Amino acid sequence: MAVRAVRGAVQLDRDEAGHMRERVEELLTAVLERNGLTAEDLISIWFTATPDLHSDFPAAAARHTGIVDVPLICAQELDVEGAMPRVVRLLAHVETELPKPRIAHVYLGAAAALRKDIAQ
């Protein structure tokens, strides 16, 4: 079984903990479903959030989905002028039989503009 990296991002409408939980759960669910994965396939997940998000940790939303035995970490995204606001990104390391070209990177809603080259 290979170790692969899966990217994803979602833009929040507002900085509220409940809204962050909903959007991060939506992103995680899409990453798992589009790649035929389960929580058991996860090795670790790195989350970043833009500096304008303060209401909660994206990893807390992952824990809320039942992902409890996977190492998670949060960091702040670079504060680049003109960058898209209110974005949570993830980099998940997974075990899968999928070859690299078949990995589905998931960019939801407006966040699809961040990586038009790999957004599914």
Side-chain angles (χ1 to χ4, degrees):
M1 182 122 7
V3 173
R4 302 281 186 229
V6 184
R7 289 288 317 272
V10 64
Q11 184 181 41
L12 279 63
D13 298 324
R14 59 195 175 279
D15 184 23
E16 294 175 1
H19 181 61
M20 180 180 289
R21 184 180 316 121
E22 290 169 4
R23 296 308 309 256
V24 172
E25 287 178 10
E26 178 185 9
L27 178 61
L28 279 171
T29 298
V31 165
L32 294 175
E33 287 178 354
R34 293 182 192 182
N35 288 286
L37 301 168
T38 68
E40 294 297 315
D41 300 316
L42 294 169
I43 296 169
S44 64
I45 305 174
W46 280 83
F47 291 97
T48 64
T50 52
D52 52 359
L53 294 175
H54 307 279
S55 62
D56 205 356
F57 296 100
R63 296 287 185 227
H64 189 262
T65 68
I67 297 173
V68 295
D69 61 350
V70 175
L72 308 174
I73 192 164
C74 297
Q76 188 176 78
E77 191 70 34
L78 294 173
D79 190 10
V80 176
E81 188 173 327
M84 184 179 288
R86 300 177 316 280
V87 175
V88 174
R89 293 171 173 86
L90 70 75
L91 172 64
H93 298 95
V94 301
E95 292 180 317
T96 181
E97 296 293 341
L98 290 175
K100 285 182 186 180
R102 293 208 34 231
I103 295 294
H105 304 283
V106 179
Y107 290 78
L108 299 178
L114 296 170
R115 289 298 306 265
K116 293 177 185 175
D117 57 327
I118 63 172
Q120 300 288 318

